[in-house]
Amino acid sequence: MDVSTFAGSGSPGYGEGTGMSAKFDTPWGIATDGSKLYVTEQGNHRIRQLDGAGTSSTLVGASGPGYADGSAASARLKTPTGI
């Protein structure tokens, strides 16, 4: 079995993008709906989404840890793990 990087630069940080131009910080949980991947990201306190081309986007979570209900862009999470 071959293993290859689908998305992420290998350096911790935050950055939307495709393939190696995306950045993640402590990705933890992963799930799929059959067409997209969903990744919990502890370091950036967000849930990210990856499409079939490896393009990442933030699904839920604002910058920084916290606990706050709200729209997907304004809700706050603290070190999400499972999804």
Side-chain angles (χ1 to χ4, degrees):
M1 172 186 275
D2 293 332
V3 176
S4 62
T5 301
F6 183 67
S9 67
S11 297
Y14 174 77
E16 305 290 348
T18 301
M20 300 295 283
S21 67
K23 286 191 170 197
F24 296 85
D25 189 352
T26 320
W28 199 263
I30 189 168
T32 184
D33 65 4
S35 63
K36 295 181 182 169
L37 292 175
Y38 301 93
V39 178
T40 57
E41 191 179 6
Q42 290 187 337
N44 287 318
H45 311 284
R46 300 170 196 252
I47 297 174
R48 306 273 293 278
Q49 167 181 286
L50 295 151
D51 66 15
T55 301
S56 70
S57 59
T58 297
L59 187 63
V60 177
S63 180
Y67 299 102
D69 292 335
S71 68
S74 66
R76 291 193 173 261
L77 308 172
K78 184 174 181 189
T79 57
T81 54
I83 187 166

